[in-house]
Short mmCIF file of all heavy atoms in Angstrom, two decimals:
data_model
loop_
_atom_site.label_atom_id
_atom_site.label_comp_id
_atom_site.label_asym_id
_atom_site.label_seq_id
_atom_site.Cartn_x
_atom_site.Cartn_y
_atom_site.Cartn_z
N ARG A 742 -6.08 7.32 -7.73
CA ARG A 742 -5.35 6.87 -6.56
C ARG A 742 -6.31 6.42 -5.45
O ARG A 742 -6.07 5.41 -4.79
CB ARG A 742 -4.42 8.00 -6.04
CG ARG A 742 -3.32 8.25 -7.05
CD ARG A 742 -2.13 9.04 -6.61
NE ARG A 742 -2.25 10.10 -5.68
CZ ARG A 742 -1.43 11.20 -5.73
NH1 ARG A 742 -0.53 11.34 -6.70
NH2 ARG A 742 -1.55 12.12 -4.81
N ILE A 743 -7.43 7.11 -5.34
CA ILE A 743 -8.45 6.66 -4.33
C ILE A 743 -9.01 5.31 -4.76
O ILE A 743 -9.25 4.41 -3.94
CB ILE A 743 -9.56 7.71 -4.20
CG1 ILE A 743 -9.01 9.01 -3.58
CG2 ILE A 743 -10.71 7.15 -3.32
CD1 ILE A 743 -8.46 8.85 -2.14
N ARG A 744 -9.29 5.16 -6.07
CA ARG A 744 -9.81 3.89 -6.59
C ARG A 744 -8.80 2.77 -6.38
O ARG A 744 -9.13 1.65 -6.01
CB ARG A 744 -10.13 4.02 -8.05
CG ARG A 744 -10.75 2.79 -8.67
CD ARG A 744 -12.16 2.54 -8.11
NE ARG A 744 -13.12 3.52 -8.64
CZ ARG A 744 -14.39 3.58 -8.25
NH1 ARG A 744 -14.83 2.71 -7.33
NH2 ARG A 744 -15.20 4.47 -8.77
N ALA A 745 -7.52 3.12 -6.56
CA ALA A 745 -6.45 2.09 -6.34
C ALA A 745 -6.41 1.68 -4.89
O ALA A 745 -6.16 0.48 -4.58
CB ALA A 745 -5.11 2.68 -6.77
N LEU A 746 -6.61 2.65 -3.98
CA LEU A 746 -6.64 2.31 -2.57
C LEU A 746 -7.79 1.36 -2.24
O LEU A 746 -7.62 0.33 -1.51
CB LEU A 746 -6.77 3.59 -1.74
CG LEU A 746 -6.96 3.42 -0.21
CD1 LEU A 746 -5.71 2.74 0.40
CD2 LEU A 746 -7.20 4.78 0.46
N GLU A 747 -8.96 1.66 -2.80
CA GLU A 747 -10.12 0.77 -2.56
C GLU A 747 -9.90 -0.62 -3.13
O GLU A 747 -10.27 -1.62 -2.52
CB GLU A 747 -11.38 1.42 -3.20
CG GLU A 747 -11.85 2.66 -2.48
CD GLU A 747 -13.04 3.31 -3.11
OE1 GLU A 747 -13.03 3.46 -4.37
OE2 GLU A 747 -13.99 3.68 -2.40
N ASN A 748 -9.26 -0.67 -4.29
CA ASN A 748 -8.93 -1.98 -4.93
C ASN A 748 -7.97 -2.77 -4.05
O ASN A 748 -8.09 -4.01 -3.92
CB ASN A 748 -8.39 -1.78 -6.33
CG ASN A 748 -9.43 -1.28 -7.30
OD1 ASN A 748 -10.65 -1.44 -7.06
ND2 ASN A 748 -8.98 -0.65 -8.40
N GLU A 749 -7.02 -2.05 -3.49
CA GLU A 749 -6.04 -2.69 -2.62
C GLU A 749 -6.69 -3.30 -1.43
O GLU A 749 -6.36 -4.43 -0.99
CB GLU A 749 -4.99 -1.69 -2.21
CG GLU A 749 -3.93 -2.16 -1.21
CD GLU A 749 -2.87 -3.04 -1.85
OE1 GLU A 749 -2.79 -3.08 -3.08
OE2 GLU A 749 -2.14 -3.73 -1.10
N ILE A 750 -7.63 -2.59 -0.83
CA ILE A 750 -8.29 -3.03 0.38
C ILE A 750 -9.39 -4.08 0.05
O ILE A 750 -9.67 -4.96 0.83
CB ILE A 750 -8.88 -1.84 1.16
CG1 ILE A 750 -7.74 -0.91 1.59
CG2 ILE A 750 -9.68 -2.30 2.36
CD1 ILE A 750 -8.20 0.41 2.12
N GLY A 751 -9.98 -3.88 -1.10
CA GLY A 751 -11.05 -4.82 -1.52
C GLY A 751 -12.42 -4.41 -1.08
O GLY A 751 -13.36 -5.24 -1.22
N VAL A 752 -12.61 -3.16 -0.63
CA VAL A 752 -13.96 -2.71 -0.28
C VAL A 752 -14.12 -1.27 -0.73
O VAL A 752 -13.12 -0.56 -0.99
CB VAL A 752 -14.18 -2.77 1.27
CG1 VAL A 752 -14.10 -4.21 1.75
CG2 VAL A 752 -13.17 -1.92 2.02
N ARG A 753 -15.38 -0.82 -0.81
CA ARG A 753 -15.64 0.55 -1.15
C ARG A 753 -15.55 1.44 0.07
O ARG A 753 -16.15 1.12 1.13
CB ARG A 753 -17.07 0.67 -1.75
CG ARG A 753 -17.18 1.63 -2.91
CD ARG A 753 -18.49 1.44 -3.70
NE ARG A 753 -19.64 1.30 -2.90
CZ ARG A 753 -20.52 2.25 -2.65
NH1 ARG A 753 -20.34 3.46 -3.20
NH2 ARG A 753 -21.56 2.02 -1.87
N LEU A 754 -14.76 2.49 0.00
CA LEU A 754 -14.57 3.38 1.15
C LEU A 754 -15.40 4.64 1.05
O LEU A 754 -15.75 5.25 2.10
CB LEU A 754 -13.08 3.74 1.27
CG LEU A 754 -12.09 2.62 1.44
CD1 LEU A 754 -10.66 3.16 1.38
CD2 LEU A 754 -12.35 1.82 2.70
N ILE A 755 -15.68 5.06 -0.16
CA ILE A 755 -16.39 6.33 -0.40
C ILE A 755 -17.76 6.09 -0.99
O ILE A 755 -17.94 5.31 -1.91
CB ILE A 755 -15.56 7.24 -1.40
CG1 ILE A 755 -14.13 7.38 -0.89
CG2 ILE A 755 -16.24 8.58 -1.59
CD1 ILE A 755 -14.01 8.13 0.39
N ASN A 756 -18.73 6.75 -0.40
CA ASN A 756 -20.09 6.79 -0.99
C ASN A 756 -20.16 7.95 -1.94
O ASN A 756 -20.33 9.09 -1.52
CB ASN A 756 -21.13 6.87 0.09
CG ASN A 756 -22.54 6.75 -0.43
OD1 ASN A 756 -22.78 6.69 -1.64
ND2 ASN A 756 -23.53 6.69 0.48
N ARG A 757 -20.03 7.68 -3.21
CA ARG A 757 -19.96 8.74 -4.21
C ARG A 757 -21.34 9.30 -4.64
O ARG A 757 -21.41 10.20 -5.42
CB ARG A 757 -19.19 8.22 -5.48
CG ARG A 757 -17.72 7.94 -5.22
CD ARG A 757 -17.07 7.18 -6.31
NE ARG A 757 -15.66 7.03 -6.22
CZ ARG A 757 -15.06 6.15 -5.40
NH1 ARG A 757 -15.80 5.31 -4.66
NH2 ARG A 757 -13.74 6.07 -5.32
N GLU A 758 -22.39 8.72 -4.12
CA GLU A 758 -23.74 9.20 -4.50
C GLU A 758 -24.26 10.31 -3.61
O GLU A 758 -25.37 10.82 -3.87
CB GLU A 758 -24.74 8.02 -4.42
CG GLU A 758 -24.58 6.97 -5.56
CD GLU A 758 -23.36 6.13 -5.41
OE1 GLU A 758 -23.09 5.66 -4.27
OE2 GLU A 758 -22.61 5.94 -6.42
N THR A 759 -23.53 10.67 -2.62
CA THR A 759 -23.98 11.72 -1.70
C THR A 759 -23.20 12.99 -1.90
O THR A 759 -22.06 12.97 -2.36
CB THR A 759 -23.83 11.26 -0.24
OG1 THR A 759 -22.46 11.06 0.02
CG2 THR A 759 -24.66 10.02 0.02
N LEU A 760 -23.83 14.11 -1.60
CA LEU A 760 -23.16 15.39 -1.64
C LEU A 760 -23.47 16.14 -0.34
O LEU A 760 -24.60 16.40 -0.01
CB LEU A 760 -23.65 16.25 -2.86
CG LEU A 760 -23.13 15.85 -4.23
CD1 LEU A 760 -23.82 16.72 -5.30
CD2 LEU A 760 -21.62 15.94 -4.33
N PRO A 761 -22.45 16.50 0.43
CA PRO A 761 -21.05 16.16 0.19
C PRO A 761 -20.76 14.68 0.33
O PRO A 761 -21.63 13.94 0.82
CB PRO A 761 -20.29 16.95 1.27
CG PRO A 761 -21.30 17.09 2.37
CD PRO A 761 -22.63 17.21 1.72
N LEU A 762 -19.59 14.26 -0.12
CA LEU A 762 -19.25 12.83 -0.03
C LEU A 762 -19.27 12.32 1.43
O LEU A 762 -18.97 13.06 2.36
CB LEU A 762 -17.85 12.61 -0.59
CG LEU A 762 -17.61 12.90 -2.07
CD1 LEU A 762 -16.13 12.76 -2.41
CD2 LEU A 762 -18.44 11.94 -2.94
N THR A 763 -19.66 11.06 1.57
CA THR A 763 -19.66 10.46 2.86
C THR A 763 -18.83 9.13 2.81
O THR A 763 -18.60 8.64 1.71
CB THR A 763 -21.09 10.10 3.36
OG1 THR A 763 -21.71 9.28 2.39
CG2 THR A 763 -21.87 11.42 3.56
N MET A 764 -18.46 8.66 3.96
CA MET A 764 -17.70 7.41 4.04
C MET A 764 -18.72 6.27 4.15
O MET A 764 -19.77 6.41 4.81
CB MET A 764 -16.81 7.39 5.27
CG MET A 764 -15.78 8.50 5.36
SD MET A 764 -14.59 8.56 4.00
CE MET A 764 -15.20 10.00 3.15
N THR A 765 -18.41 5.16 3.57
CA THR A 765 -19.16 3.95 3.80
C THR A 765 -18.79 3.48 5.27
O THR A 765 -17.84 3.99 5.86
CB THR A 765 -18.77 2.83 2.84
OG1 THR A 765 -17.38 2.47 3.04
CG2 THR A 765 -18.98 3.28 1.38
N PRO A 766 -19.56 2.58 5.83
CA PRO A 766 -19.19 2.06 7.15
C PRO A 766 -17.77 1.55 7.21
O PRO A 766 -17.03 1.81 8.19
CB PRO A 766 -20.19 0.94 7.41
CG PRO A 766 -21.39 1.34 6.62
CD PRO A 766 -20.86 2.00 5.39
N ALA A 767 -17.33 0.84 6.16
CA ALA A 767 -15.92 0.39 6.09
C ALA A 767 -14.97 1.58 6.01
O ALA A 767 -13.87 1.56 6.56
CB ALA A 767 -15.73 -0.56 4.92
N GLY A 768 -15.40 2.62 5.27
CA GLY A 768 -14.59 3.81 5.14
C GLY A 768 -14.40 4.53 6.45
O GLY A 768 -13.33 5.05 6.71
N GLU A 769 -15.43 4.56 7.29
CA GLU A 769 -15.33 5.18 8.61
C GLU A 769 -14.27 4.45 9.46
O GLU A 769 -13.45 5.11 10.12
CB GLU A 769 -16.69 5.13 9.33
CG GLU A 769 -17.77 6.00 8.66
CD GLU A 769 -17.60 7.50 8.91
OE1 GLU A 769 -16.65 7.87 9.65
OE2 GLU A 769 -18.38 8.29 8.31
N VAL A 770 -14.31 3.14 9.41
CA VAL A 770 -13.34 2.38 10.18
C VAL A 770 -11.94 2.59 9.61
O VAL A 770 -10.98 2.81 10.39
CB VAL A 770 -13.68 0.84 10.12
CG1 VAL A 770 -12.54 0.03 10.73
CG2 VAL A 770 -15.00 0.59 10.83
N PHE A 771 -11.82 2.57 8.29
CA PHE A 771 -10.51 2.77 7.69
C PHE A 771 -9.94 4.16 7.94
O PHE A 771 -8.74 4.32 8.12
CB PHE A 771 -10.58 2.50 6.17
CG PHE A 771 -9.23 2.52 5.50
CD1 PHE A 771 -8.38 1.40 5.59
CD2 PHE A 771 -8.79 3.62 4.80
CE1 PHE A 771 -7.13 1.43 5.03
CE2 PHE A 771 -7.54 3.65 4.20
CZ PHE A 771 -6.71 2.52 4.32
N ALA A 772 -10.81 5.15 8.01
CA ALA A 772 -10.38 6.53 8.23
C ALA A 772 -9.67 6.65 9.61
O ALA A 772 -8.61 7.27 9.69
CB ALA A 772 -11.54 7.52 8.18
N SER A 773 -10.28 6.03 10.65
CA SER A 773 -9.61 6.10 11.96
C SER A 773 -8.33 5.34 12.01
O SER A 773 -7.34 5.77 12.60
CB SER A 773 -10.61 5.57 13.02
OG SER A 773 -10.88 4.19 12.81
N GLN A 774 -8.29 4.17 11.33
CA GLN A 774 -7.06 3.39 11.30
C GLN A 774 -6.00 4.02 10.43
O GLN A 774 -4.79 3.93 10.74
CB GLN A 774 -7.35 1.98 10.78
CG GLN A 774 -8.25 1.13 11.71
CD GLN A 774 -7.67 1.00 13.10
OE1 GLN A 774 -6.49 0.61 13.25
NE2 GLN A 774 -8.48 1.28 14.13
N ALA A 775 -6.42 4.73 9.36
CA ALA A 775 -5.43 5.42 8.50
C ALA A 775 -4.67 6.50 9.29
O ALA A 775 -3.49 6.70 9.09
CB ALA A 775 -6.13 6.00 7.31
N ARG A 776 -5.40 7.20 10.17
CA ARG A 776 -4.78 8.24 10.98
C ARG A 776 -3.74 7.59 11.88
O ARG A 776 -2.62 8.16 12.07
CB ARG A 776 -5.82 8.95 11.83
CG ARG A 776 -6.63 9.98 11.02
CD ARG A 776 -7.48 10.88 11.91
NE ARG A 776 -8.58 10.17 12.54
CZ ARG A 776 -9.77 10.04 12.03
NH1 ARG A 776 -10.06 10.56 10.83
NH2 ARG A 776 -10.72 9.37 12.67
N ILE A 777 -4.04 6.47 12.45
CA ILE A 777 -3.06 5.75 13.31
C ILE A 777 -1.85 5.31 12.49
O ILE A 777 -0.69 5.47 12.93
CB ILE A 777 -3.73 4.53 14.00
CG1 ILE A 777 -4.83 5.00 14.94
CG2 ILE A 777 -2.69 3.70 14.73
CD1 ILE A 777 -5.65 3.90 15.53
N MET A 778 -2.10 4.76 11.31
CA MET A 778 -1.00 4.32 10.44
C MET A 778 -0.10 5.46 10.06
O MET A 778 1.14 5.32 10.01
CB MET A 778 -1.55 3.61 9.21
CG MET A 778 -2.14 2.22 9.50
SD MET A 778 -2.56 1.31 7.99
CE MET A 778 -4.15 2.11 7.60
#
Side-chain angles (χ1 to χ4, degrees):
R742 293 195 325 212
I743 294 296
R744 183 69 71 184
L746 175 63
E747 291 178 314
N748 291 337
E749 175 77 13
I750 298 169
V752 297
R753 220 165 45 100
L754 303 174
I755 306 296
N756 186 353
R757 293 168 173 79
E758 286 72 45
T759 61
L760 286 176
L762 294 174
T763 57
M764 303 298 109
T765 64
E769 295 284 356
V770 172
F771 186 78
S773 64
Q774 294 302 310
R776 283 191 290 270
I777 296 173
M778 287 188 282

